[in-house]
Amino acid sequence: MFQKIAVIGAGTMGNGIAHVFAQYGFTVSLIDVNADQLSRALATIRKNMERQVAKGSLTEADMQAAHSRIITFTSIPEGVADVQLVVEAATENIDLKLKIFRELDAAAPASAILATNTSSISITRIASVTGRPEKVIGMHFMNPVPVMKLVEIINGYATAPEVTTAISELSKQLQKVPCIVNDYPGFIANRILMPMINEAIYSLYEGVAGVEEIDTVMKLGMAHPMGPLQLADFIGLDVCLSILRVLQEGFGNPKYAPCPLLVNMVTAKKLGVKSGEGFYQYTPGSKELVVSPGFRK
Ligand code: CAA
């Protein structure tokens, strides 16, 4: 059913999604308004595919073929003209997403499915600005996309069952495990993950334990690959804050109120890995975890 797929947005998630579609044989239109971002994305995809070649999970020839299946565009109408599916992975901003979906609805073939990788914005709301709400669905990949097995599939209020089935089957073709959920704030992944991260930040804020202790308890005690504070840095503290606000507003429940320390860090532009500092400090090329000066004992 799917041969050609458009991915909107060439940031971390967009390039990861383009990577896996190309790896499993699909032709990909990677679309971003910023041409430099597209060049950086192609370089990142090559680097990540080279990691797979180095460990033997991809051959050199398959890598070359996969990489050449990705074609870049700076305009939506050009990039989506002949696709069967669009996966939108633009910045997590509702006004931007609504604008993109209006444009996609006008430019993509009437039969195309329009999916969004949103981590928390309502699928039903996004679908409402299109003339095809039954073909709008959430296809939520996890970071790093080439590594993480889950695809959280979110049914909007009007999503047609055959669309859910098609996206579920497609996820399996990418060697991923689909999990189908309904459209309520935070879906499942972030409804559970973000309160855990917020509670870890509260534990730090209230002086119950330090950064390393909190992360070590969860890594060694619960077998999490990263502690919740390191994971918050990895996701982006601004993203965590905005998802907590969606939960707080969507449920009207103060239990989701973001910790004041998280709010302060985002205001101070300490956003985690992408800004070079969050709960830890990051030096490009170094894997060493260094606690940020403000949190050192
Ligand atoms: N592309 C391809 N391969 C990659 C990769 C990428 N982008 N990133 C990592 N890898 C591979 C590495 O090559 C390595 O492969 P081998 O084990 O076969 O050698 C493997 O993944 C592990 O990577 P590293 O050795 O570099 O580092 P690590 O062992 O510390 O693992 C990690 C890194 C996979 C990120 C691991 O720490 C992890 O699983 N962390 C938790 C990630 C997580 O929870 N993600 C979800 C975030 S929430 C989200 O995305 C959704 C949301 O809405 C907020």
Side-chain angles (χ1 to χ4, degrees):
M1 168 176 192
F2 301 105
Q3 281 111 40
K4 192 164 183 191
I5 294 169
V7 177
I8 312 280
T12 308
M13 294 308 287
N15 80 54
I17 295 167
H19 173 143
V20 292
F21 279 129
Q23 182 182 343
Y24 289 97
F26 299 93
T27 303
V28 180
S29 299
L30 180 59
I31 307 170
D32 198 293
V33 282
N34 183 336
D36 291 341
Q37 182 77 7
L38 285 168
S39 312
R40 280 196 296 272
L42 286 178
T44 303
I45 292 168
R46 180 167 289 279
K47 194 186 78 200
N48 286 331
M49 285 182 174
E50 278 166 358
R51 293 161 82 147
Q52 294 170 297
V53 172
K55 70 180 187 202
S57 63
L58 196 66
T59 68
E60 177 76 33
D62 286 346
M63 174 182 85
Q64 299 298 356
H67 203 265
S68 67
R69 278 194 283 273
I70 305 173
I71 303 147
T72 58
F73 296 89
T74 50
S75 109
I76 286 184
E78 237 187 304
V80 303
D82 54 352
V83 300
Q84 294 87 42
L85 167 68
V86 181
V87 181
E88 172 276 321
T91 309
E92 201 67 355
N93 169 309
I94 183 147
D95 294 330
L96 176 66
K97 292 209 192 268
L98 297 184
K99 179 174 173 287
I100 290 172
F101 271 78
R102 283 191 194 98
E103 210 176 324
L104 288 175
D105 194 35
S111 56
I113 293 175
L114 306 181
T116 170
N117 178 58
T118 182
S119 50
S120 62
I121 295 171
S122 162
I123 309 305
T124 308
R125 176 78 184 99
I126 292 173
S128 74
V129 301
T130 73
R132 58 180 104 181
E134 73 289 351
K135 292 198 178 70
V136 177
I137 191 163
M139 191 175 191
H140 184 204
F141 292 84
M142 304 291 133
N143 185 22
V145 181
V147 178
M148 305 299 284
K149 286 282 175 206
L150 176 71
V151 180
E152 187 180 34
I153 295 176
I154 306 109
N155 280 329
Y157 195 81
T159 308
E162 58 273 21
V163 169
T164 311
T165 304
I167 296 300
S168 195
E169 289 306 313
L170 176 65
S171 304
K172 290 181 197 162
Q173 280 181 265
L174 304 176
Q175 304 299 311
K176 302 216 180 278
V177 177
C179 243
I180 300 166
V181 312
N182 290 319
D183 182 26
Y184 290 100
F187 318 135
I188 286 296
N190 283 314
R191 182 172 180 164
I192 295 173
L193 177 62
M194 288 303 155
M196 182 192 75
I197 286 176
N198 202 33
E199 206 55 38
I201 303 173
Y202 263 115
S203 304
L204 178 68
Y205 171 72
E206 291 171 2
V208 182
V211 170
E212 281 168 311
E213 287 73 16
I214 292 168
D215 276 355
T216 302
V217 165
M218 298 305 285
K219 275 193 284 190
L220 301 188
M222 285 76 191
H224 291 193
M226 286 176 170
L229 299 175
Q230 187 191 357
L231 182 57
D233 277 357
F234 180 68
I235 292 169
L237 300 191
D238 52 339
V239 175
C240 295
L241 178 60
S242 94
I243 298 173
L244 280 162
R245 296 245 191 257
V246 167
L247 291 170
Q248 187 187 13
E249 282 161 27
F251 290 113
N253 188 332
K255 79 176 177 181
Y256 298 108
C259 176
L261 174 59
L262 174 63
V263 177
N264 265 357
M265 289 176 76
V266 173
T267 307
K269 302 208 163 35
K270 305 290 184 199
L271 305 180
V273 178
K274 67 181 156 192
S275 73
E277 188 176 341
F279 297 102
Y280 297 90
Q281 276 182 315
Y282 300 91
T283 314
S286 167
K287 277 189 138 190
E288 198 194 345
L289 261 186
V290 180
V291 174
S292 290
F295 300 120
R296 277 182 211 150
K297 282 180 265 153

